[in-house]
Amino acid sequence: MRSHYCGQLNETLVDQQVTLCGWVHRRRDHGGVIFLDMRDRDGIAQVVVDPDTAEAFANADRARNEFVLRIQGRVRLRPEGTQNPNMPTGMIEVLAKDVEVLNTAATPPFQLDEHGKVGEEVRLKYRYIDLRRPEMIDKLRLRSRITHRVRAFLEDEGFLDIETPILTRATPEGARDYLVPSRTHAGSFFALPQSPQLFKQLLMVSGFDRYYQIAKCFRDEDLRADRQPEFTQIDLEASFVDEDDIMGITESMIRSLFREVLDVELPEFPRMPYAEAMSRYGSDKPDLRIPLELVDVDDLMKNVDFKVFSGPANAEDGRVAALKVSGGGKLTRKEIDDYTKFVSIYGAKGLAWIKVNERAKGLEGLQSPIVKFMESVIEELLDRVGAEDGDIIFFGADKTRVVNEALGALRVKLGEELELYTREWAPLWVVDFPMFEDDGSARLQALHHPFTAPSCDVETLRSNPVVALSRAYDMVLNGTELGGGSIRIHDQDMQRAVLEVLGIDQAEADEKFGFLLEALKFGAPPHGGLAFGLDRLVMLMSGARTIREVIAFPKTQSAACLMTDAPGDVSQDQLKELNIRLRHKAKVETAGE
């Protein structure tokens, strides 16, 4: 039906006949001549309809925004003075000889031009209209380019695109599974995969050597601002590799993506141990664009007459850390109070601070309600953090986890609000993660997942699992974890030992992971891999605010689809076929939840 997309028109097509199909972006009537801005996925082109083409003029006259039209006409240069150099098609226009209305449109619920502002709820309810906006088209076009380049890169590296099952069995991977009842196996359930983890390991046992997949994954997680119940991974696995091999391949892939898609040459990817990242930045995904660091001051605070500091300083699981902000002395008391409220989200009971107004004056040059409690250590403290006139020092004193989370988050917030970024892109690898973590429950938990190989032998793991490190690695960019992976366990004895440490006995292990444990007996090669969050990657590369902006049909924070009103009720007949009886009818949620 068309010969060209609207955005393809330019001066090289002057005097050629073209056929366009698309939507009316804007209609203007100028003294008997009608101008139509026609829009499709490639751009916008101006169409001129003169009254001497009676039928075409009549159709253009009744057209309104979002009508679907087919237009035939001749490309010509715009008259002098009407050209628009800021628009890709701004030097030309199409003089229409035929205008056909393919479909009418009701008045859209919001404007699609750059001046339209509307809440996200409305945009998600009418997502098919929201996706017509050039801004959204550009994001999804970028996503398509990224996945195309990823496939090309991995194919060139010898990886095979292999699909793994969507209906599988429930396995513990850190979040709740989405369960699917089986009609043919009454009382039994499939689970939607949280990742292709076990299947890709089985592909390595099968000898495929290098696998990749752009895979849909599902996690029934609690509400989070930037998580989706279904998301997309760039998933890969390889045999006969070590950490350097996987990290080298994936780093090259990301460098290639940024170079070819954004024309950006990423800087060096430093490697940082997990313990160092937590100590210096309070986070295992530090944003290295921000030149702020946490400094331990426990030793200075052990004997001060201030229990808020001395208590955690002397506790085995406590920490006292300082965060110096150069030039932060200009912060108002209200701003400091707002930051105090902010860190309370992370469990902090308060936010102590010292303003360094004039260091040469000693205590008189400092402004803070806590200085009087630390006269004996104040000079050493100021030296340690490198304090200068005009600075402010914030303190966290609590359990190590609380201090890290609170000051780590405060560091990021200060970096953004005070515009402290020193560069545009800051990648790194975080390595040497602990194998397990103690979350306060009766059992240790795997920090990544229970199929990650430890960096020690079986005996050492069993004797002191708390100090065991894993062969895991995360790629971080601008404070966002792009992807995480590890070398996997390929030995059955080691896999059983890890499951035992996690409190999973042999019977439970055989029930849940028997197929994997069995496979490990039949010549499993050393292997490892990594999975990137495609949605996060596109969000970063496009400059979007949330991952919902780069997913065609996302869910809300409560895992609902406002457009289709999902999840929804099903009939009693369907439930009966599945041998399911509801104990409680679902609560009706408001659209905004």
Side-chain angles (χ1 to χ4, degrees):
M1 293 181 73
R2 61 155 65 97
S3 65
H4 295 78
Y5 284 97
C6 294
Q8 293 176 335
L9 303 186
N10 56 44
E11 297 94 314
T12 65
L13 298 173
V14 169
D15 291 331
Q16 290 191 28
Q17 297 294 317
V18 297
T19 303
L20 306 177
C21 293
W23 289 262
V24 177
H25 189 65
R26 191 180 293 109
R27 175 188 174 279
R28 307 184 302 281
D29 192 336
H30 287 184
V33 177
I34 295 175
F35 290 85
L36 301 173
D37 287 343
M38 287 294 294
R39 185 192 71 244
D40 59 25
R41 72 172 201 183
D42 269 18
I44 295 175
Q46 178 172 285
V47 175
V48 181
V49 189
D50 287 333
D52 56 1
T53 54
E55 185 178 352
F57 188 84
N59 284 334
D61 187 48
R62 72 185 183 96
R64 295 295 181 267
N65 285 6
E66 303 310 309
F67 273 36
V68 185
L69 304 184
R70 180 173 181 265
I71 291 175
Q72 291 179 296
R74 178 175 60 86
V75 179
R76 70 182 186 185
L77 290 174
R78 292 192 189 189
E80 195 71 34
T82 66
Q83 297 170 338
N84 184 356
N86 298 320
M87 186 178 177
T89 61
M91 305 304 289
I92 55 88
E93 61 189 15
V94 175
L95 179 61
K97 68 175 184 180
D98 183 62
V99 175
E100 179 184 358
V101 178
L102 299 177
N103 208 346
T104 61
T107 302
F110 52 87
Q111 288 181 260
L112 272 71
D113 60 25
E114 63 276 13
H115 304 296
K117 290 185 178 180
V118 66
E120 187 179 46
E121 287 180 19
V122 177
R123 290 177 51 210
L124 291 180
K125 182 172 178 60
Y126 298 95
R127 188 63 162 184
Y128 44 85
I129 294 178
D130 187 43
L131 290 177
R132 294 179 188 175
R133 294 191 299 125
E135 177 186 352
M136 295 302 298
I137 291 172
D138 288 345
K139 287 184 173 70
L140 293 186
R141 189 192 298 275
L142 177 68
R143 184 181 178 118
S144 178
R145 289 181 63 197
I146 289 170
T147 56
H148 173 74
R149 290 307 315 160
V150 165
R151 291 184 187 278
F153 179 92
L154 292 174
E155 294 281 352
D156 288 345
E157 291 289 330
F159 286 80
L160 301 178
D161 183 359
I162 304 175
E163 295 176 343
T164 54
I166 292 296
L167 292 177
T168 181
R169 67 171 291 133
T171 56
E173 289 195 40
R176 285 184 292 271
D177 291 307
Y178 276 101
L179 299 178
V180 181
S182 171
R183 180 183 60 82
T184 53
H185 298 274
S188 295
F189 293 81
F190 293 105
L192 303 182
Q194 296 185 33
S195 80
Q197 181 63 45
L198 297 184
F199 288 104
K200 68 180 180 179
Q201 288 191 241
L202 293 174
L203 285 171
M204 297 303 102
V205 178
S206 303
F208 281 93
D209 198 77
R210 291 192 169 198
Y211 138 97
Y212 86 93
Q213 184 182 187
I214 297 180
K216 273 286 188 183
C217 303
F218 308 85
R219 293 181 186 174
D220 187 7
E221 296 186 301
D222 292 330
L223 309 189
R224 297 195 188 183
D226 213 25
R227 295 285 181 92
Q228 287 283 293
E230 55 178 311
F231 56 97
T232 307
Q233 284 186 179
I234 303 169
D235 199 57
L236 59 93
E237 197 83 3
S239 296
F240 306 107
V241 294
D242 59 19
E243 293 91 328
D244 289 339
D245 294 322
I246 295 294
M247 294 165 74
I249 290 169
T250 52
E251 183 176 321
S252 294
M253 184 184 80
I254 294 300
R255 285 188 179 279
S256 173
L257 268 181
F258 273 76
R259 185 183 307 117
E260 295 179 19
V261 176
L262 298 184
D263 195 25
V264 167
E265 198 67 47
L266 288 176
E268 177 189 359
F269 282 63
R271 296 188 182 186
M272 182 179 297
Y274 169 88
E276 180 183 344
M278 297 303 294
S279 174
R280 294 173 60 188
Y281 304 106
S283 170
D284 60 358
K285 44 183 180 294
D287 189 341
L288 298 188
R289 297 174 301 168
I290 303 170
L292 303 178
E293 292 191 22
L294 279 60
V295 178
D296 280 318
V297 293
D298 305 77
D299 57 319
L300 300 180
M301 301 302 168
K302 285 185 175 181
N303 298 313
V304 298
D305 189 22
F306 188 44
K307 290 185 179 180
V308 172
F309 280 9
S310 61
N314 287 286
E316 186 177 349
D317 62 347
R319 184 182 188 191
V320 184
L323 180 67
K324 183 202 75 173
V325 183
S326 297
K330 63 188 177 187
L331 292 173
T332 66
R333 186 57 189 264
K334 181 184 181 306
E335 289 172 319
I336 294 173
D337 288 343
D338 287 342
Y339 289 131
T340 303
K341 291 178 184 176
F342 173 75
V343 297
S344 69
I345 298 171
Y346 301 89
K349 300 179 182 68
L351 184 64
W353 53 273
I354 297 175
K355 282 188 178 183
V356 184
N357 295 328
E358 197 171 347
R359 185 172 175 183
K361 290 186 176 181
L363 292 178
E364 293 182 4
L366 305 178
Q367 179 184 347
S368 171
I370 65 169
V371 171
K372 58 186 177 183
F373 299 114
M374 52 186 67
E375 292 185 26
S376 60
V377 298
I378 194 67
E379 281 302 317
E380 192 173 353
L381 168 67
L382 297 178
D383 285 341
R384 182 171 297 184
V385 301
E388 297 179 354
D389 292 353
D391 295 347
I392 190 171
I393 307 165
F394 290 111
F395 295 90
D398 210 309
K399 291 184 177 180
T400 299
R401 178 187 58 81
V402 173
V403 171
N404 288 345
E405 290 183 1
L407 287 190
L410 178 62
R411 174 182 175 274
V412 173
K413 189 173 181 66
L414 288 166
E416 179 181 358
E417 294 187 351
L418 302 183
E419 300 181 349
L420 301 178
Y421 297 135
T422 59
R423 45 185 159 150
E424 186 175 6
W425 302 104
L428 81 152
W429 287 103
V430 178
V431 297
D432 296 336
F433 285 85
M435 188 71 186
F436 307 103
E437 63 179 342
D438 185 354
D439 64 357
S441 62
R443 296 180 175 184
L444 289 175
Q445 303 295 321
L447 192 64
H448 278 76
H449 56 63
F451 317 110
T452 298
S455 56
C456 59
D457 58 32
V458 173
E459 290 72 21
T460 305
L461 180 80
R462 281 197 169 106
S463 64
N464 200 359
V466 176
V467 301
L469 297 181
S470 69
R471 299 178 66 183
Y473 35 80
D474 283 359
M475 183 187 288
V476 176
L477 180 64
N478 292 3
T480 296
E481 179 195 328
L482 278 189
S486 66
I487 300 301
R488 322 300 187 189
I489 298 169
H490 68 281
D491 175 78
Q492 191 193 74
D493 290 341
M494 178 62 82
Q495 186 63 76
R496 285 195 180 277
V498 168
L499 295 175
E500 287 171 15
V501 170
L502 294 172
I504 301 173
D505 62 25
Q506 185 167 333
E508 185 182 0
D510 288 337
E511 179 194 351
K512 293 182 176 178
F513 308 109
F515 62 97
L516 174 67
L517 293 167
E518 184 76 5
L520 294 180
K521 295 194 307 187
F522 294 99
H527 60 281
L530 188 145
F532 287 102
L534 175 63
D535 310 307
R536 290 183 187 176
L537 177 61
V538 180
M539 178 186 73
L540 281 174
M541 295 182 72
S542 69
R545 294 169 298 172
T546 73
I547 61 173
R548 293 187 294 278
E549 293 289 308
V550 298
I551 299 173
F553 299 102
K555 305 290 190 295
T556 64
Q557 290 184 33
S558 62
C561 176
L562 300 182
M563 184 180 66
T564 63
D565 199 23
D569 295 335
V570 298
S571 70
Q572 286 298 318
D573 288 342
Q574 288 176 290
L575 292 174
K576 187 176 180 180
E577 278 192 328
L578 295 169
N579 299 287
I580 291 176
R581 183 177 64 184
L582 297 180
R583 295 178 61 188
H584 302 286
K585 187 170 177 59
K587 294 179 181 179
V588 178
E589 296 182 351
T590 62
E593 290 185 326

